[in-house]
Amino acid sequence: VQAVARVALVALVALTGCEPKTIPQAGATVDAGEVALAATASAREDALAPVPVAPVVAVDLDAVLHAAPAAERLAGNILTAGHAMETLAELTFAHPSRVTGTKGHEEAAAWAVDAFKKAGVASARAEPFTMAHGWERRPARAKLVAPAERTLHVAPAGWFPPTPDEGVRAEIVHPAELTADAVKKTATKLKGKIVLLDRANKTKGWPTSLDALRDAGVLALVNAQGLPDQSLQAHSAWYTRGLVGPLPMVDLGDEDGKLLVRLLEKGPVTVEIVSTSPITDAVQVPNVVAEIRGRERPDEWVLVGAHLDAWDFAEGAQDDGTGVAEVLEAARAIQALGVAPRRSIRFALFGGEEQGALGSHAYADVHARELDRASLVLVSDSGGGAPRGFLTGREDLTTRLAPIAKLLEGMGGGALSSAFECGTDACPFALTGVPAISFDCDESKYEDIHHRAADTLDKVVPAHVAQAAAILAVTAWTAAEVPERIAPRATHAEIAERLKKAGMLDDLAHRGVFVP
Ligand SMILES: [Zn+2]
């Protein structure tokens, strides 16, 4: 037991009058039955104030088991009489194109409000936020002009500006290093050229030097994505400081990228690019929200979320159609229990996730004064693989959720990992200190599917979606039902330390997402 943990142990013994047989280490698997609990939330926070990882189980196993009959009914309803796959089929058929801020996304949001209402959750509504710029996909084309003529496989990169109407035709260059310094030093060689970015070889400095490339007079960027069979993966400019890329960019198939590199080894290469997708003015983007009010502590809440927006090469079946179907299914089943939970359970289908989790950032901003009363946020955005459990991002949270995870083992959802990730809508909540966890499943096939033309309904295994919905519903219900809140809000210093450990602090600070 480390010194800090011992201080906490003494405090716990003083408060509870009993000494736990084992004190869990950070990140350890906990047999909750061996760990006593009685401390009040405020006394516990005082005792643990200087300790970033609190080694105390906050959730009483008796309370979890007390909630278990409802959990059994929820899981049983979803797994035997559920609609998750039908909901996903309806969404992907009726609203396949859901790029943030477009008409397709808005129509999908109206469908989602209606779907919540059909599930009995009458409070569903759109809660719009403003996005500084919209973007609409229009055709892009590119060709090799010299030393030979050939069509190149390209697509416009989202939220990057179009080329002039007549396109750009210029020599292409392939620098090995594109740090801002390197770009400044070689500016005269880059001026008036098209630059080949090589994501497969991780061109050094990309993508943080985009502004420097524009300032050097580069005409456009060709981003070789390195995905086999000329496959392309949609993306936007979320990694830049602003929402919009500083100069035109098209994404390029792997085989075409390799051809350009081979030709460049022999001599000058000229390409022509025409990209016509416009960046528009500010747009109103809907987050779809709904709530089942708590019976005892309605101002405290648990939130279950996913993102409704999707890339449009296909129908966003896994990214994040599965998450949307699971959230709607969890809402339906919880409503069908006919009993209000102790705390409120909120549901959110965010917009703008693919442009930098804009919808969940907006939610956390608009509801900033309610965040102290958030008990747990759960987000599903990992695709339709076989369920594993949750990524908690916090070792104390892993410890505290262990008793609930026991209820999920039979559905394959009992694994908890303390890994911190900032790739989806749990992150904006975690950055404010709210306990926020991400549904975790087998992602071994996910990279081959999401954001690509392959993200279609036929890849989804119906049993996985139903299991995931049951895991979300049981976790949300139990977290809303246990007498105590799951975990305290983390302090700013604790969050900064966690980001530093995860190697994310510099990137998030650069993007202005987190101010250390
Ligand atoms: Zn996603």
Side-chain angles (χ1 to χ4, degrees):
V1 179
Q2 291 164 0
V4 278
R6 186 168 293 129
V7 173
L9 168 61
V10 171
L12 178 71
V13 171
L15 285 163
T16 61
C18 63
E19 182 167 344
K21 280 182 221 144
T22 56
I23 296 298
Q25 294 297 302
T29 308
V30 181
D31 181 349
E34 288 188 279
V35 182
L37 163 86
T40 64
S42 64
R44 192 174 56 249
E45 280 179 39
D46 288 345
L48 298 176
V51 188
V53 178
V56 179
V57 174
V59 181
D60 186 331
L61 187 63
D62 284 346
V64 170
L65 292 176
H66 180 71
E72 286 165 15
R73 282 172 59 201
L74 281 171
N77 180 314
I78 291 170
L79 295 175
T80 63
H83 308 308
M85 193 64 187
E86 288 88 333
T87 303
L88 178 59
E90 196 181 311
L91 169 68
T92 53
F93 181 76
H95 305 286
S97 182
R98 307 189 296 279
V99 174
T100 303
T102 62
K103 195 160 173 277
H105 180 222
E106 202 173 310
E107 287 171 357
W111 168 87
V113 169
D114 204 42
F116 274 118
K117 288 186 174 169
K118 275 188 193 149
V121 188
S123 59
R125 65 194 166 83
E127 187 174 87
F129 65 93
T130 304
M131 187 185 193
H133 295 281
W135 177 84
E136 279 167 34
R137 183 184 297 284
R138 296 268 191 280
R141 61 179 194 275
K143 66 177 182 184
L144 178 63
V145 177
E149 281 224 9
R150 192 183 290 191
T151 301
L152 300 171
H153 295 80
V154 296
W159 275 264
F160 280 81
T163 59
D165 289 348
E166 68 280 12
V168 292
R169 179 187 276 229
E171 241 182 68
I172 193 162
V173 291
H174 182 218
E177 185 176 338
L178 284 175
T179 56
D181 272 355
V183 170
K184 268 180 210 152
K185 273 182 203 152
T186 55
T188 47
K189 286 182 188 164
L190 295 171
K191 191 170 192 286
K193 302 287 197 317
I194 294 170
V195 167
L196 175 64
L197 302 170
D198 201 341
R199 200 156 92 177
N201 294 326
K202 296 197 170 54
T203 308
K204 199 176 161 199
W206 144 250
T208 52
S209 56
L210 293 178
D211 288 342
L213 287 165
R214 176 203 48 205
D215 296 344
V218 170
L219 297 179
L221 305 169
V222 175
N223 179 34
Q225 292 188 308
L227 307 173
D229 308 329
Q230 309 280 28
S231 177
L232 295 172
Q233 196 171 38
H235 66 100
S236 55
W238 60 265
Y239 38 75
T240 61
R241 196 181 286 270
L243 176 66
V244 172
L247 70 173
M249 185 201 283
V250 292
D251 295 319
L252 178 73
D254 183 46
E255 286 79 2
D256 285 345
K258 285 172 176 159
L259 170 68
L260 293 180
V261 171
R262 281 200 306 275
L263 291 173
L264 279 164
E265 281 164 9
K266 292 183 184 145
V269 176
T270 302
V271 296
E272 183 182 284
I273 300 167
V274 183
S275 183
T276 62
S277 302
I279 286 171
T280 64
D281 292 339
V283 280
Q284 290 292 296
V285 175
N287 280 337
V288 175
V289 296
E291 183 180 59
I292 296 175
R293 289 290 279 176
R295 64 175 193 279
E296 269 182 33
R297 316 185 81 157
D299 291 341
E300 293 183 13
W301 48 279
V302 168
L303 184 143
V304 192
H307 68 88
L308 183 62
D309 69 295
W311 280 114
D312 55 346
F313 282 159
E315 57 208 25
Q318 296 210 38
D319 189 7
D320 184 21
T322 47
V324 171
E326 289 153 19
V327 171
L328 285 166
E329 179 68 354
R332 183 197 63 75
I334 291 169
Q335 180 71 33
L337 275 180
V339 186
R342 191 188 304 263
R343 294 178 188 78
S344 295
I345 300 181
R346 297 180 177 183
F347 305 92
L349 300 176
F350 300 110
E353 193 278 341
E354 299 293 6
Q355 288 70 47
L358 301 179
S360 42
H361 274 294
Y363 188 98
D365 285 349
V366 169
H367 298 273
R369 286 162 64 185
E370 301 159 35
L371 294 180
D372 274 337
R373 295 194 290 273
S375 191
L376 187 66
V377 170
L378 306 87
V379 166
S380 175
D381 184 21
S382 303
R388 278 204 288 252
F390 289 100
L391 306 181
T392 69
R394 284 167 55 170
E395 279 147 352
D396 65 329
L397 205 45
T398 300
T399 305
R400 289 162 196 247
L401 286 168
I404 294 179
K406 282 208 169 295
L407 288 178
L408 308 173
E409 279 171 3
M411 294 178 281
L416 297 175
S417 158
S418 301
F420 186 89
E421 62 109 40
C422 197
T424 184
D425 291 311
C427 187
F429 293 97
L431 293 179
T432 71
V434 166
I437 62 178
S438 301
F439 173 69
D440 183 30
C441 62
D442 174 15
E443 292 188 63
S444 57
K445 302 246 165 44
Y446 188 60
E447 270 304 309
D448 299 337
I449 293 171
H450 86 133
H451 298 194
R452 303 205 206 179
D455 192 358
T456 50
L457 189 67
D458 53 285
K459 313 290 190 312
V460 180
V461 178
H464 291 167
V465 192
Q467 278 170 283
I471 289 163
L472 291 175
V474 167
T475 307
W477 172 271
T478 311
E481 193 59 24
V482 291
E484 293 186 58
R485 287 170 55 191
I486 295 293
R489 211 170 153 183
T491 66
H492 192 76
E494 286 167 352
I495 300 159
E497 185 59 33
R498 217 165 270 137
L499 294 175
K500 207 170 166 188
K501 260 196 207 162
M504 294 178 186
L505 190 60
D506 290 347
D507 174 50
L508 292 173
H510 167 78
R511 286 159 45 201
V513 173
F514 184 81
V515 182

